[in-house]
Amino acid sequence: IQWFPGHMLETKEFLRQMIPSVDVVLEVLDARLPISSANPLLDKICKSVPRVKVLNKKDLADPNATTQWLTYFNEKFHGQCVAINGTNKTETWKTVDDAVKTINRNKARKARVMVAGIPNTGKSTIMNSLAGKKIAKTGNTPAITRHQQRAGLKNKIDVYDTPGILWPILENQSGACRLAASGAISDTAMDYAEVAHFTADYLLERYEAQLRERYRLKDPFPSTANELIEAIGTRRGCLKKGGILNWQKASEVLIRELRSGKIGRISLEFPRDHLTPSPE
Ligand code: GDP
């Protein structure tokens, strides 16, 4: 998806119109990269509305990182933070319902909930899990549906069937690489080789054991990103004529297997890397 200023204005306007009738905003983040998958516009526009930060795709994330993020956000952020696997309907329903119950101000009626976040974080999946039926089309669509309806739920919350779709922030290079590695940026808009290089560097530093296991790499273990991509490509037969390594294919293997969780449960961000030191 390409976000143009017009789309951004439209989204802001949509949120401004929706907010007054919303009781709780579910801010959907990717549990593997909860900083880079956020859009600070929500902090500004949703100041007056209670918010639940939902770290989704916890089944793909490193459980250690997720525990640390939950502690971090529950201390720093005035609201609730929960971690879920949005594809698990029962877990999603229970966790979100509990969180909404604790912060909803208006107890007289069902809480009106709006789901918001950047593409691919799992908004539609979560909405469908909450509604117990298909109310949202999954997949990346920047278009904003004009008419809003609340999905009728038997339970205690009403979910608006139109999510607030925010744009990813691509201003810093490493954040953009993490978003691309997670699948939040369309493949046509990213350079596989660059993202794979960035990812390989990171995995070598943090997840060597998982790499060893997945690719059965022999010693001497690759010590640079290029060596790692080359070793993976060779193992997977990503070769061009004459036995030359096909870097594009090798890079795609690494990214694809990271996204699908085949390398293991991996988080691309930890709170300690994002804490700003307090001024002296
Ligand atoms: P949206 O663009 O924010 O509405 O995201 P979608 O709901 O379309 O989800 C994007 C992709 O992530 C889809 O392929 C979903 O099946 C997948 N997905 C969503 N939630 C989870 C989750 O908790 N775990 C895993 N493994 N995949 C998920």
Side-chain angles (χ1 to χ4, degrees), residues 56-57 59-60 85-87 119-125 138-140:
N56 189 40
K57 306 197 183 185
D59 55 308
L60 296 174
N85 168 355
T87 63
N120 205 48
T121 45
K123 294 177 298 300
S124 318
T125 307
T138 55
N140 299 346

Side-chain angles (χ1 to χ4, degrees), residues 38-49:
N39 181 320
L41 179 71
L42 271 192
D43 298 336
K44 281 197 209 138
I45 291 196
C46 301
K47 262 198 193 117
S48 58
V49 190

